Amino acid sequence: MQGMLKFILLAGVIGATSFPTAFAAQAATALVQSETQQVGPIEAAARQAWRENMAQIATPAEGCFHATYPSILWEQVACKQLASNMHMLPASLRKQPFQVQTAGNGNDYVLQAPGAKLISQTVGSFPSVTGVTSVESVGVPAYGGGGILGPNEYTLQINSQFTSTTPACRNQPGCTVWQQFVYSPDYMVQGEAAVFMEYWLVGYGYNPCPVGWFSDGYGDCVRNSNYVAAPDVPISELGSLALTGTATAAGNDTITFSYGTDAYSFSAKDSVVYLSTIWNQSEFNVVGNAGGSQAVFNSGSAITVNVAANYGGTAKPSCIANAGTTGESNNLNLGPCSAFGGASPYIQFTQSN
């Protein structure tokens, strides 16, 4: 579709689909406090409610969208194309031991939905960030030293498990699917971040990859979605960021990134890997920027990570250790993890150096 289209959404949708206020209070404390100093408590609370609501309002079609506070209209914007040869990497590829406390490369906490329930949405946020002034992505030898390296390079990632198969595997023995929701500064354009989804057929074998997919040279197939451009946010603003991933059966999967008074969203068909049919674990963290790289934070950094999930129930999820799926990592030591049920189930853990 050419140009920009505005789609009017009913305000009633907000109340019907938004996460309960219990999660809002838990996940947004740092940002609301920061904004309160600038615009006052009432306006800060209104902005936070708007950000949460925009993450719940489905975009009206596939493609790229942007919204600006206080409007609840998703405005369609031009999508941009990602490179086919630069990717986040799964931990299973060339995994080698890190210090056991270091987050990422498999050593991460994961939210596990209870019983046979499937996740339809995951919201990742950082309710407390202290002492963070800088970050730098550095290459990791086990992954060939690749990635987008240098100061203020990092990614936010929501990752599914990669232990389940779907029709996307085309009956290839040993094939499982993996989907990532990614915010990545400088991914294609210096000074511009990319908000997109990345898809994998892990263990597809050395058969030719399906049309539109690319071999990673290790028996896996990978493809990137298009992306919506977003601000390249300095790591000192980490507490102001939130990432949401949604999977809808027979519909669209959506990633939404919010920062300040802006929200950015990209949607594509769930049938790329049929995530909605198997999604039962979610990993969320801040890690290196692609290529298995590591995000190195300044000494004295302390971050609380909140991973909330909607799986149609109030039972407490499980917090599973050493279950992360991304190959990217950070240099922070994991603290304890706690799980909470109720109207908006979530897990929460700390990491620091």
Side-chain angles (χ1 to χ4, degrees), residues 48-344:
Q48 178 58 26
W50 174 85
R51 285 187 289 266
E52 292 169 7
N53 287 328
M54 292 312 299
Q56 310 308 317
I57 297 175
T59 57
E62 294 180 64
C64 296
F65 297 85
H66 172 249
T68 302
Y69 174 82
S71 174
I72 59 167
L73 307 181
W74 279 119
E75 180 181 280
Q76 191 163 19
V77 297
C79 286
K80 298 187 176 183
Q81 188 172 3
L82 287 171
S84 61
N85 61 347
M86 187 176 355
H87 305 285
M88 313 300 129
L89 296 178
S92 63
L93 280 183
R94 284 150 279 177
K95 185 176 178 181
Q96 74 176 26
F98 279 64
Q99 294 179 358
V100 294
Q101 302 92 345
T102 304
N105 193 36
N107 182 47
D108 203 0
Y109 293 116
V110 168
L111 181 149
Q112 167 77 56
K117 291 189 176 297
L118 295 176
I119 296 169
S120 61
Q121 184 178 73
T122 297
V123 181
S125 61
F126 305 99
S128 177
V129 179
T130 59
V132 173
T133 59
S134 67
V135 70
E136 178 180 10
S137 277
V138 299
V140 173
Y143 287 95
I148 303 171
L149 310 180
N152 205 59
E153 300 298 354
Y154 64 96
T155 57
L156 306 185
Q157 298 183 20
I158 293 173
N159 302 310
S160 75
Q161 78 277 11
F162 50 36
T163 55
S164 305
T165 191
T166 72
C169 280
R170 295 160 174 80
N171 296 316
Q172 291 294 328
C175 172
T176 60
V177 300
W178 186 42
Q179 185 163 328
Q180 300 177 274
F181 302 85
V182 181
Y183 165 82
S184 172
D186 304 312
Y187 193 91
M188 289 294 296
V189 179
Q190 190 70 26
E192 174 185 275
V195 177
F196 64 100
M197 291 179 281
E198 186 165 288
Y199 311 95
W200 286 76
L201 305 177
V202 179
Y204 193 81
Y206 289 92
N207 307 292
C209 290
V211 175
W213 294 76
F214 299 88
S215 173
D216 68 344
Y218 291 85
D220 309 292
C221 300
V222 59
R223 64 184 287 183
N224 284 336
S225 71
N226 289 332
Y227 76 93
V228 60
D232 188 344
V233 181
I235 198 64
S236 57
E237 296 293 314
L238 183 64
S240 301
L241 309 183
L243 195 68
T244 301
T246 303
T248 304
N252 293 330
D253 293 353
T254 301
I255 177 172
T256 301
F257 168 76
S258 65
Y259 171 59
T261 56
D262 291 278
Y264 305 83
S265 194
F266 171 79
S267 294
K269 290 188 182 302
D270 179 69
S271 57
V272 178
V273 296
Y274 301 94
L275 178 65
S276 65
T277 67
I278 53 91
W279 195 9
N280 60 19
Q281 290 186 349
S282 287
E283 174 188 31
F284 170 71
N285 214 327
V286 51
V287 291
N289 199 351
S293 60
Q294 183 174 68
V296 178
F297 285 85
N298 62 282
S299 179
S301 296
I303 300 170
T304 299
V305 181
N306 188 293
V307 190
N310 185 347
Y311 40 75
T314 60
K316 183 171 69 172
S318 298
C319 188
I320 309 298
N322 299 312
T325 53
T326 188
E328 284 78 45
S329 61
N330 65 44
N331 69 328
L332 304 178
N333 300 322
L334 292 171
C337 180
S338 300
F340 303 86
S344 180

